[in-house]
């Protein structure tokens, strides 16, 4: 069975500082990996995805994520955090074979302090 | 990219009643899903809504409790039946055109229905 772990329920960072939101996955075969953001009272919005190719994936709003196969990780990063980045972030994974249904992590609340 | 309209956005219901949530996509999509999101927990897939046939339910969810319709490629409904306080949650509609792994379009989500049962 596939699983996604987001070890931090909450991440606090000061505006202007770099941020990292962690994600590790467990899927059979090669993974397809996704990050979504959810603002209050809104649905999830797609940020970026990794399918194959470069390990560093760039997405919306200046976010990027690094795929690390040996560590089975797909951490979300941004060089300089904004207060408006404060939201709930979800990592998701799908195996290359088998079910096309993604497995989501528990979500990490990012709080950027002014 | 697809835009999903979900309604109602929130509701407060009495125990034992039922509520139907509607999900409208502005373009035809092959896959539609219904999720439940509870505070501090991940998204839980309730079922895949299949056009023209019965929905495919995940473990722990049954048709009698969560009947789903999908009459065409742009619309689906989820009914939460005989509600109890344990059903208080956010219910999210989601859609994707094709296989998420290979589609150029990401998985889209509605803004959710925030349901409270008294």
């Amino acid at each position: 069975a596939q699983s996604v772990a987001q070890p931090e329920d909450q991440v606090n960072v000061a505006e202007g500082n770099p941020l990292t939101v962690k994600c590790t996955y467990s899927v059979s075969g090669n993974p397809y990996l996704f990050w979504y953001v959810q603002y209050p009272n809104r649905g999830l919005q797609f940020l970026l995805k990794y399918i194959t190719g470069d390990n560093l994936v760039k997405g919306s709003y200046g976010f990027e994520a690094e795929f690390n196969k040996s560590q089975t990780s797909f951490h979300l990063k941004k060089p300089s955090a904004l207060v408006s980045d404060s939201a709930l972030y979800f990592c998701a994974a799908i195996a290359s074979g088998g079910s096309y249904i993604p497995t989501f992590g528990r979500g990490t609340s990012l709080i950027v302090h002014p | 990219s697809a835009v999903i309209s979900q309604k109602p956005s929130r509701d407060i219901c009495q125990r034992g009643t039922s509520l139907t949530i509607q999900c409208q996509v502005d373009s035809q999509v092959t896959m539609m899903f219904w999720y439940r999101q509870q505070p501090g927990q991940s998204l839980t897939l309730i079922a895949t809504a299949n056009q023209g046939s019965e929905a495919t339910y995940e473990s722990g969810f049954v048709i009698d409790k969560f009947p789903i319709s999908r009459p065409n490629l742009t619309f689906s409904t989820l009914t939460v039946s005989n509600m109890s306080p344990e059903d208080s949650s956010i219910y999210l509609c989601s859609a994707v055109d094709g296989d998420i792994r290979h589609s150029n379009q990401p998985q889209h989500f509605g803004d959710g229905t925030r349901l409270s049962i008294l």
Side-chain angles (χ1 to χ4, degrees):
Chain A
Q2 56 192 39
S3 65
V4 175
Q6 293 182 241
E8 302 155 317
D9 290 336
Q10 184 172 302
V11 170
N12 292 278
V13 64
E15 187 174 33
N17 283 0
L19 70 87
T20 298
V21 182
K22 296 180 180 177
C23 171
T24 59
Y25 64 89
S26 174
V27 303
S28 56
N30 295 319
Y32 293 76
L33 300 164
F34 307 81
W35 274 102
Y36 293 85
V37 60
Q38 185 179 34
Y39 298 102
N41 298 313
R42 300 298 301 277
L44 279 68
Q45 297 178 32
F46 172 77
L47 277 179
L48 52 81
K49 68 179 178 182
Y50 170 82
I51 295 177
T52 186
D54 291 339
N55 290 340
L56 186 64
V57 179
K58 295 188 182 296
S60 306
Y61 312 120
F63 284 93
E64 57 189 27
E66 185 168 11
F67 171 64
N68 188 317
K69 187 173 183 177
S70 63
Q71 297 185 2
T72 62
S73 68
F74 189 56
H75 301 331
L76 181 70
K77 300 181 180 183
K78 187 173 182 180
S80 178
L82 300 173
V83 173
S84 57
D85 292 329
S86 299
L88 191 57
Y89 290 81
F90 288 94
C91 181
I94 311 176
S96 58
S99 173
Y100 55 82
I101 305 296
T103 297
F104 285 85
R106 290 169 54 92
T108 298
S109 177
L110 173 66
I111 300 175
V112 181
H113 302 277
Chain B
S1 61
V3 175
I4 299 179
S5 300
Q6 192 174 333
K7 59 181 182 182
S9 59
R10 61 181 65 243
D11 208 339
I12 301 173
C13 300
Q14 295 295 321
R15 184 193 302 253
T17 62
S18 299
L19 177 75
T20 295
I21 303 168
Q22 297 181 3
C23 178
Q24 178 74 55
V25 189
D26 69 344
S27 60
Q28 292 186 346
V29 291
T30 53
M31 310 297 296
M32 293 185 74
F33 307 96
W34 287 98
Y35 289 87
R36 184 169 68 186
Q37 182 181 15
Q38 294 176 313
Q41 297 185 28
S42 179
L43 277 70
T44 302
L45 181 65
I46 297 172
T48 302
N50 301 310
Q51 194 264 330
S53 65
E54 190 172 291
T56 304
Y57 289 86
E58 297 299 306
S59 177
F61 298 96
V62 295
I63 187 172
D64 290 345
K65 176 66 176 178
F66 297 101
I68 288 171
S69 78
R70 189 171 174 199
N72 55 50
L73 292 176
T74 64
F75 185 78
S76 178
T77 67
L78 168 74
T79 298
V80 186
S81 302
N82 188 25
M83 290 183 285
S84 66
E86 292 72 34
D87 295 319
S88 297
S89 188
I90 300 172
Y91 293 86
L92 291 165
C93 173
S94 177
V96 66
D97 196 28
D99 188 324
I100 297 171
R101 292 167 293 192
H102 307 297
S103 173
N104 289 327
Q105 295 296 321
Q107 185 175 3
H108 298 282
F109 289 82
D111 285 342
T113 296
R114 283 143 189 83
L115 187 57
S116 297
I117 314 304
L118 302 179

